[in-house]
């Protein structure tokens, strides 16, 4: 048993039992500090880094040193990207970032379900706002060796018909610091946001964002735009969404966000919000498989949901994912989570 499993995690979980966000903020503060200290980054890299040539991937025009990324929502404002990269991630998706600052929903808004290896969150997309995030990135001046994606989100108060303005503003602000962008239309914690997955909104939104990316890129290659979908779409809704994504010119899909379903939970809970972790695995896997089948492999898929170990990752890749992301397993398994997955993949000849 690792020191994290036997000492660190129990202490952190006990310390922040009533409000897990306390633990998250503490860890983020430490990672942000480490991100400014070269020797600290070297130590983290020596402990948790792992590389193997068989793990390298090229997807939507970007080179990934390994296919395991960190999902959006962990580092919302890009405060600790160098330290997270040193932990072995092949790419990081930061954000979601909204155009204007917003506090999110009242705390507590994160709930651990250890028996299920799951988390419920109703963060409500707290963000410092695009301008503040860019100011930090400009002053930090940190060069990253792995692709960094930025998740774009809508302010709670922005009407759906004006949503594209939020996404475009934030994309333009973050353009110099991004390798790709993801459009978050699937968080269950912003009222009405998932309505943007409907065909009457999604096609225009995707088309607007992708065209603006091309305009902003000018004479260089436009940065890829991906769309993050919910796992709770019906078959017809998924068909409509995929048609809009393809016709709008997006370069990929992230499947999936958290679920509002509570099917299969051992823990009795009445907490609202998005559920992630082990209980999401089957739904996300089915969604990735369905998307790969319906798009005939023409759109790369980032699979995310309930991936804890190498076997989970292999199932996602077999279902049609080109890359994967983790989040909840990073919380439960600790800083060695990525190394544990990719080292097994490399040794298995993946």
């Amino acid at each position: 048993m690792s020191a994290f499993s036997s000492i660190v995690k129990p202490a952190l979980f006990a310390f922040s039992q009533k409000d897990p966000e306390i633990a998250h903020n503490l860890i983020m503060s430490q990672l942000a500090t480490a991100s400014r200290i070269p020797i600290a980054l070297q130590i983290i890299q020596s402990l948790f880094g792992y590389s193997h040539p068989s793990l390298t991937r090229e997807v939507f025009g970007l080179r990934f040193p390994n296919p395991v990324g960190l999902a959006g929502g962990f580092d919302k404002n890009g405060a600790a990207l160098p330290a997270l990269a040193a932990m072995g991630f092949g790419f990081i998706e930061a954000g979601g970032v909204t155009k204007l600052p917003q506090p999110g929903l009242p705390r507590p808004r994160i709930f651990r379900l250890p028996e299920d290896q799951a988390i419920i969150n109703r963060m409500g997309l707290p963000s410092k706002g695009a301008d503040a995030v860019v100011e930090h990135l400009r002053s930090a001046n940190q060069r990253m060796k792995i692709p960094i994606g930025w998740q774009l989100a809508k302010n709670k108060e922005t009407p759906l018909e004006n949503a594209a303005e939020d996404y475009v503003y934030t994309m333009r602000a973050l353009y110099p610091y991004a390798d790709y962008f993801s459009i978050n239309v699937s968080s269950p914690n912003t009222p009405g946001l998932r309505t943007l997955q409907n065909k009457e909104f999604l096609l225009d939104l995707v088309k607007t964002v992708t065209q603006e990316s091309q305009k902003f890129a000018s004479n260089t290659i436009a940065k890829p735009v991906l769309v993050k979908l919910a796992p709770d779409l019906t078959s017809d809704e998924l068909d409509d969404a995929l048609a809009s994504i393809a016709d709008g010119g997006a370069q990929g899909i992230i499947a999936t966000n958290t679920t509002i379903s509570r099917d299969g939970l051992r823990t009795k809970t009445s907490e609202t919000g998005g559920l992630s972790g082990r209980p999401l695995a089957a739904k996300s896997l089915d969604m990735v498989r369905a998307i790969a089948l319906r798009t005939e492999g023409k759109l790369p898929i980032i699979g995310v949901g309930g991936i804890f170990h190498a076997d989970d990752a292999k199932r996602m890749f077999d279902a049609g994912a080109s890359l994967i992301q983790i989040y909840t397993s990073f919380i439960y398994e600790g800083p060695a989570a990525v190394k544990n997955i990719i080292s097994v993949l490399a040794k298995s000849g993946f």
Side-chain angles (χ1 to χ4, degrees), residues 258-274:
T258 56
T259 180
I260 57 174
S261 171
R262 298 294 184 263
D263 292 345
L265 280 184
R266 299 176 183 177
T267 307
K268 292 183 179 180
T269 179
S270 59
E271 299 294 350
T272 59

Side-chain angles (χ1 to χ4, degrees), residues 1 74 83 95 140 241 251 279 290 303 314-315:
M1 183 178 290
F74 192 89
Q251 285 76 42
K314 288 178 183 177
R315 280 189 283 271

Side-chain angles (χ1 to χ4, degrees), residues 70-298:
L70 178 62
F74 192 89
D75 188 349
K76 294 176 174 57
N77 299 296
L81 298 177
L84 289 166
M87 289 183 177
F89 287 102
F91 63 108
I92 295 169
E93 187 169 315
V97 181
T98 53
K99 175 182 176 180
L100 301 175
Q102 64 180 24
L105 295 173
R107 295 170 63 171
R109 51 193 180 179
I110 301 176
F111 308 90
R112 300 190 199 100
L113 283 61
E115 187 178 1
D116 293 284
Q117 289 187 296
I119 288 173
I120 293 173
N121 95 79
R122 52 169 181 262
M123 297 292 288
L125 289 168
S127 172
K128 291 183 177 180
D131 293 344
V133 171
V134 168
E135 180 58 33
H136 162 72
L137 295 173
R138 185 184 295 118
S139 61
N141 193 28
Q142 296 162 332
R143 292 185 177 275
M144 305 301 298
K145 296 180 180 179
I146 62 173
I148 302 296
W150 282 94
Q151 186 184 112
L152 311 175
K154 180 188 82 69
N155 278 109
K156 178 182 177 181
E157 303 301 329
T158 302
L160 294 180
E161 57 269 22
N162 298 333
E165 298 174 15
D166 277 22
Y167 292 102
V168 167
Y169 181 95
T170 305
M171 180 189 69
R172 282 181 167 272
L174 288 167
Y175 212 86
Y177 308 98
D179 294 291
Y180 75 87
F181 294 98
S182 70
I183 301 175
N184 183 353
V185 289
S186 51
S187 169
N189 299 314
T190 297
L193 184 69
R194 287 190 169 191
T195 304
L196 291 175
Q197 295 174 114
N198 297 352
K199 59 183 178 181
E200 59 263 37
F201 289 106
L202 190 58
L203 175 58
D204 288 342
L205 174 60
V206 174
K207 187 178 293 185
T208 298
V209 175
T210 55
Q211 287 178 350
E212 285 296 321
S213 177
Q214 291 164 359
K215 289 178 186 177
F216 203 69
S218 186
N219 296 324
T220 62
I221 297 174
K223 294 178 180 180
V225 174
L226 286 64
V227 179
K228 187 167 187 174
L229 295 175
D232 306 308
L233 295 174
T234 67
S235 180
D236 288 344
E237 288 170 341
L238 179 59
D239 283 337
D240 288 341
L242 293 178
S244 296
I245 289 167
D247 293 344
Q251 285 76 42
I253 297 168
I254 302 175
T256 64
N257 212 317
T258 56
T259 180
I260 57 174
S261 171
R262 298 294 184 263
D263 292 345
L265 280 184
R266 299 176 183 177
T267 307
K268 292 183 179 180
T269 179
S270 59
E271 299 294 350
T272 59
L275 176 72
S276 64
R278 281 288 187 195
L280 181 58
K283 288 177 77 75
S284 294
L285 191 64
D286 288 345
M287 181 70 81
V288 168
R289 190 177 290 112
I291 293 170
L293 181 64
R294 297 179 195 200
T295 61
E296 299 178 336
K298 294 177 182 177

Side-chain angles (χ1 to χ4, degrees), residues 12-70:
L12 276 174
F13 279 26
F15 169 68
S16 58
Q17 184 175 3
K18 292 184 178 180
D19 186 359
E21 196 169 346
I22 294 171
H24 180 83
N25 291 342
L26 175 62
I27 291 168
M28 282 300 303
S29 176
Q30 293 174 335
L31 291 174
T33 299
S35 293
R36 299 188 294 269
I37 305 172
I39 191 169
L41 295 177
Q42 292 172 13
I43 292 171
I44 294 171
Q45 175 71 33
S46 68
L47 291 172
F48 305 113
Y50 184 91
S51 63
H52 193 280
S54 70
L55 296 170
T56 303
R57 295 288 180 273
E58 186 165 328
V59 186
F60 38 80
L62 299 176
R63 182 185 179 277
F64 298 83
N66 72 67
V68 181
L70 178 62

